[in-house]
């Protein structure tokens, strides 16, 4: 069994030639992406099509970005990822449509055994799924094996260690559901600021 086959089965795995070559190719493309000029948005879009396993329409990613393999990442349509996004994408990361990331979001598919005597045996990787319409706040960390349900909001600075259901606000470290969305959220967009008070366009 190859190291990448071990990864796919949820076993401990270690670096291998195929993985390192994929990483080398990804890092070259990533360098071009991160060092492109602000005006070169078309160039960045072309790089994203090569870099990711799938990249939908109207995807905007602010520089800089960090990743491992690239081809293990799928991004849907109409997504916005702010600067400092870090993907530890040894295994698959699936991002749905209309997803937003605040600055410095980290998604990590890989971890290590806690037992210090066995930690050297390798690492494990499990997929991460971010469903449609999710907003992840600044400096949040999403760990291996997590699914975040449709439309949910992850508060800034949260560390998400377990699945989060759809249509909720979840915050904290470890991240927990604070509350579901309610009728007040349809009336107010921030504290006592109402949608109805916005100027007409």
């Amino acid at each position: 069994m190859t190291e990448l086959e071990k990864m796919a089965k949820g076993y401990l795995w270690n670096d291998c030639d195929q993985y390192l070559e994929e990483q080398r190719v990804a890092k070259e493309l990533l360098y071009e992406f991160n060092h492109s000029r602000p005006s070169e948005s078309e160039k960045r879009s072309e790089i994203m099509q090569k870099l990711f396993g799938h990249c939908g329409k109207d995807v905007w990613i602010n520089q800089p970005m960090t990743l491992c393999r690239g081809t293990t990442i799928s991004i849907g349509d109409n997504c916005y990822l702010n600067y400092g996004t870090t993907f530890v994408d040894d295994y698959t990361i699936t991002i749905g449509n209309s997803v937003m990331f605040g600055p410095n979001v980290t998604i990590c598919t890989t971890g290590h055994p806690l037992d210090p005597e066995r930690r050297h045996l390798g690492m494990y990787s499990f997929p991460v799924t971010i469903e449609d319409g999710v907003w992840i706040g600044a400096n949040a960390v999403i760990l291996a094996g997590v699914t975040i349900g449709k439309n949910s909001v992850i508060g800034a600075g949260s560390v998400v260690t377990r699945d989060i259901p759809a249509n909720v606000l979840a915050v904290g470290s470890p991240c927990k559901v604070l509350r579901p969305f309610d009728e007040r959220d349809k009336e107010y967009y921030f504290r006592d600021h109402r949608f109805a008070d916005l100027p007409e366009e």
Side-chain angles (χ1 to χ4, degrees):
M1 188 181 301
T2 69
E3 295 302 312
L4 296 185
E5 287 172 340
K6 291 177 186 176
M7 179 197 303
K9 289 183 176 295
Y11 300 150
L12 294 180
W13 65 280
N14 287 284
D15 289 343
C16 61
D17 290 344
Q18 181 183 347
Y19 172 85
L20 294 174
E21 175 59 18
E22 288 180 22
Q23 199 173 59
R24 185 194 66 77
V25 171
K27 296 292 186 184
E28 290 290 338
L29 290 168
L30 187 64
Y31 182 90
E32 294 297 321
F33 179 89
N34 284 334
H35 290 84
S36 63
R37 299 183 64 83
S39 59
E40 295 179 312
S41 58
E42 187 172 324
K43 176 181 178 180
R44 287 191 297 280
S45 293
E46 291 173 0
I47 293 170
M48 287 190 293
Q49 293 299 325
K50 298 175 184 176
L51 185 59
F52 298 123
H54 172 78
C55 187
K57 295 179 287 187
D58 299 317
V59 173
W60 184 270
I61 302 177
N62 282 334
Q63 304 146 286
M65 171 177 58
T66 303
L67 51 72
C68 298
R69 294 172 75 185
T71 55
T72 51
I73 300 169
S74 174
I75 303 177
D77 299 334
N78 305 307
C79 292
Y80 177 84
L81 282 61
N82 215 325
Y83 63 83
T85 296
T86 296
F87 293 114
V88 183
D89 59 309
D90 298 315
Y91 202 45
T92 57
I93 296 172
T94 304
I95 298 170
N97 300 317
S98 303
V99 170
M100 298 189 301
F101 285 10
N104 301 313
V105 167
T106 296
I107 298 181
C108 185
T109 64
T110 296
H112 299 271
L114 292 180
D115 178 48
E117 295 179 1
R118 293 185 174 141
R119 203 171 298 155
H120 71 282
L121 294 176
M123 56 199 123
Y124 57 81
S125 298
F126 292 94
V128 171
T129 301
I130 312 296
E131 295 185 350
D132 294 350
V134 168
W135 172 24
I136 300 177
N139 297 301
V141 179
I142 316 300
L143 296 181
V146 164
T147 294
I148 298 177
K150 189 174 180 179
N151 298 324
S152 284
V153 174
I154 304 300
S158 296
V159 179
V160 187
T161 61
R162 294 284 188 269
D163 291 354
I164 300 296
N167 298 302
V168 298
L169 171 62
V171 301
S173 178
C175 189
K176 296 179 181 177
V177 174
L178 182 62
R179 64 176 178 84
F181 301 145
D182 57 28
E183 289 304 310
R184 190 179 194 283
D185 298 312
K186 296 183 183 300
E187 184 177 356
Y188 293 88
Y189 62 91
F190 180 69
R191 295 182 180 166
D192 60 349
H193 297 268
R194 301 190 323 151
F195 289 104
D197 296 333
L198 293 171
E200 294 183 8
E201 296 183 5

